[in-house]
Every structure is written in C-alpha cells, then in structure tokens.
C-alpha cells in the first residue's frame, strides 16, 4: 500500500494548492515592498515621497492594528430598543444605526404618520448621534433611506437635501420596505468618516 489512499488525494491536493497560493502571496508582498524601497533617485532632486498602495497597506495591516469598536451613546437620540448601539466607532469610521422618528425624551413616535414631520425627527436624531461622536453631516459618506411607501420619496428627499447640503453629498440607497419599527414611515442610517 502507498502512503496515501485514493480517498486522501483530494485533501492532499487541496493542501498543496493552499500552500502554493500562500507562498505566492507572500512572495508578491515581498517584491512589492522591495520595489517601493529601491526606487531610482535623480542626482538633481531628492526622491519624492512614495506611498504604499491602499490594497497593499490593507493586506499587510489586516488583523495587526484593527481598532477596537467603541459604542457611541447620547441621551439626545432615542435609546436602542434592542441589542444594538446608537452608533459604533471603529478607527475613524462611524456606523450610525437606523433612526426612526422617536422622540428621545418620551420614547414616542413623532409626526402621527406625517412623513415630513417624521423625516425632520429622524434627521435630528442622526444629527445628535453624529455630534456625540464629534461629526457633522459633512462627515457622512453613505446613507440608506428606508421608506414604507416610495410615493413619499419626493417629500423625504427635499428635507434630506436640506440636511445634507455640504459640498459633497453622501452616497445613498433608498428602498421601499414592507414595514418599519414602531410603524414608522421613514428610517435612515449612515456611515461617517471622521
């Protein structure tokens, strides 16, 4: 009998393929690092500062310096109604949970079904969480708008445009959903770069 039975062959082949792929990746990273270190220098001017490509930087730092997540909480926005935080800060990125039109003091819905009144309260709640983290609407890079009825888009969009009036509007997705918590007509979450 040989060392491997025929049933072991796929496992052995997979292990070899993984070892080859790992060695290749490490070699490519080493070559990329060396190529950054040994750039030709002109005798007439000093070398320009070089930066590591974002992909290489991400590959070499994954798992080595990840910032610990930090909960962001403020009494000026509604308390979470489940096992989540108002926002989580990881490094310089703030992930703000979806906000509905809850009054932070009473815990009751605002607007009685009026989507414009709800949108104003939602944006006020988002703003309170952003401020607690040291951010403003100008720091927001991505939002998701959830609507119970897409027919409300124009009304919500007008108020949204007033709030996000900076030089660069955030990237955004807007979707209609079957239902929102507390019977809300609108919910908005966001990601901000601090």
């Amino acid at each position: 009998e040989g060392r491997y039975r025929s049933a072991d062959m796929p496992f052995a082949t997979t292990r070899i393929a993984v070892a080859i792929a790992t060695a290749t990746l490490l070699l490519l990273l080493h070559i990329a690092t060396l190529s950054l270190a040994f750039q030709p220098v002109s005798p007439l001017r000093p070398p320009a500062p070089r930066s590591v490509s974002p992909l290489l930087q991400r590959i070499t730092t994954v798992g080595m310096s990840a910032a610990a997540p930090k909960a962001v909480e403020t009494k000026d926005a509604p308390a979470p109604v489940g096992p989540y935080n108002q926002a989580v800060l990881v490094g310089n990125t703030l992930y703000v949970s979806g906000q509905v039109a809850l009054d932070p003091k009473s815990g009751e819905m605002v607007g009685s079904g009026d989507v414009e009144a709800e949108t104003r309260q939602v944006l006020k709640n988002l703003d309170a969480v952003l401020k607690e983290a040291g951010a403003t609407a100008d720091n927001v890079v991505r939002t998701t708008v959830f609507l119970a009825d897409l027919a409300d888009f124009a009304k919500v969009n007008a108020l949204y445009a007033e709030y996000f009036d900076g030089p660069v509007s955030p990237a955004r997705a807007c979707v209609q959903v079957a239902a929102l918590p507390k019977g809300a007509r609108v919910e908005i979450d966001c990601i901000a770069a601090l």
Side-chain angles (χ1 to χ4, degrees), residues 124-159:
K124 184 177 176 182
N125 293 344
L126 276 178
D127 194 62
V129 177
L130 289 168
K131 283 182 182 173
E132 184 66 25
T136 68
D138 290 341
N139 295 101
V140 175
V141 295
R142 175 78 162 92
T143 65
T144 308
V145 179
F146 303 94
L147 297 175
D149 186 349
L150 210 50
D152 292 330
F153 177 80
K155 292 177 183 177
V156 172
N157 196 51
L159 294 166

Side-chain angles (χ1 to χ4, degrees), residues 10-74:
F11 178 72
T13 304
T14 302
R15 288 181 61 190
I16 292 169
V18 168
I20 291 171
T22 303
T24 303
L25 179 60
L26 290 173
L27 179 62
L28 289 173
L29 284 172
H30 184 69
I31 291 169
T33 304
L34 288 176
S35 70
L36 288 173
F38 298 105
Q39 294 296 321
V41 178
S42 166
L44 301 176
R45 66 181 120 141
R50 299 205 41 108
S51 63
V52 177
S53 77
L55 177 60
L56 180 60
Q57 187 177 24
R58 184 176 176 100
I59 289 171
T60 58
T61 60
V62 166
M64 294 180 193
S65 63
K70 177 185 169 199
V72 175
E73 299 173 4
T74 176

